[in-house]
Amino acid sequence: MMGEGIPYLIDAAGRQFPLEGGVVILGRSPNCDVIIPDQRVSRRHAEVRWDGETATLCDLGSANGTFLNGRRITTPQTLHDGDEIGIASALFSFRDPEATIRVAEFPRLVVDEATGEIWVNRNPISLSPKEQALFDLLYHNVGRVCSKQRIAEAVWPEYQAEVYDYQIESLVKRLREKLEPDPRHPVLILTVRGRGYKLIIY
């Protein structure tokens, strides 16, 4: 019987694979915890580690790759309740019974550090160079306020003259339109009156 509160993987047939042992190996070998009988699957293809608080998906140098929510992973990735793992023809959902219920309107922002790709609620986001420069500044200072002066220096380094407030505000507005479910009520990029802007990620 699966331990109460233990995260698990569930396949398309509804079979559950609990992470009770701390490590679950997925692959074609009969010695794996989760056996995937597909020639495109490596003998030891991927693993999911559980340390009691966090589950992490790792590719084990497979030939054809491991996919998380449709994207091939290149580095270990933290799993969240509802994530989908794809290995060849097999698809697994990760379930965490103890996951905190997310507020429906709060978007899930994910940045792939290896490729620089940005995803909001599993949708890829394409940014202009100036939008990307602003996002990078906010992301690398997540939770901290970035002043308009600092934004101007990071986004418009080619300008020797003053960068006007309306230029910064317009850029923030455009970035919000791409990231926020409701740009009129932003929850990711917050205005800190008299100080600047900050990015919040949950």
Side-chain angles (χ1 to χ4, degrees):
M1 182 176 177
M2 188 169 63
E4 184 178 355
I6 298 294
Y8 58 92
L9 303 179
I10 182 168
D11 67 10
R15 292 177 297 181
Q16 296 183 9
F17 305 94
L19 307 183
E20 288 177 303
V23 180
V24 169
I25 305 293
L26 303 91
R28 199 175 76 248
S29 168
N31 295 321
C32 290
D33 302 296
V34 180
I35 302 169
I36 307 172
D38 187 317
Q39 287 299 115
R40 294 171 294 174
V41 178
S42 298
R43 292 181 63 79
R44 288 170 56 88
H45 196 104
E47 69 178 21
V48 177
R49 291 185 171 272
W50 167 248
D51 64 7
E53 293 185 2
T54 303
T56 305
L57 173 67
C58 302
D59 182 83
L60 298 177
S62 67
N64 294 308
T66 301
F67 295 79
L68 177 61
N69 299 324
R71 296 181 296 129
R72 186 169 182 165
I73 66 171
T74 56
T75 57
Q77 299 291 312
T78 299
L79 293 174
H80 303 278
D81 185 53
D83 279 347
E84 292 186 342
I85 301 168
I87 298 176
S89 59
L91 187 65
F92 302 88
S93 291
F94 172 74
R95 297 296 179 188
D96 182 0
E98 297 297 317
T100 302
I101 297 174
R102 289 181 175 271
V103 178
E105 62 269 19
F106 199 94
R108 183 169 163 204
L109 174 66
V110 176
V111 179
D112 188 322
E113 298 281 358
T115 65
E117 293 177 323
I118 301 169
W119 298 70
V120 175
N121 293 337
R122 301 185 182 179
N123 296 312
I125 304 299
S126 178
L127 302 179
S128 71
K130 293 297 186 190
E131 291 165 353
Q132 185 72 53
L134 173 58
F135 177 83
D136 289 345
L137 175 66
L138 294 173
Y139 182 73
H140 290 116
N141 292 277
V142 65
R144 297 193 293 268
V145 178
C146 293
S147 67
K148 287 185 177 181
Q149 179 64 32
R150 190 172 181 191
I151 291 171
E153 293 170 353
V155 178
W156 287 275
E158 71 277 15
Y159 281 14
Q160 298 299 318
E162 181 182 359
V163 175
Y164 296 102
D165 283 359
Y166 80 85
Q167 292 173 280
I168 297 172
E169 291 161 2
S170 177
L171 183 61
V172 170
K173 179 182 178 183
R174 294 200 303 273
L175 186 57
R176 280 173 169 162
E177 287 171 348
K178 293 189 175 180
L179 299 181
E180 305 274 7
D182 184 357
R184 297 169 301 173
H185 301 93
V187 293
L188 285 171
I189 302 175
L190 303 183
T191 300
V192 181
R193 294 195 179 280
R195 296 183 59 197
Y197 302 91
K198 67 179 178 179
L199 179 68
I200 299 296
I201 301 178
Y202 284 94

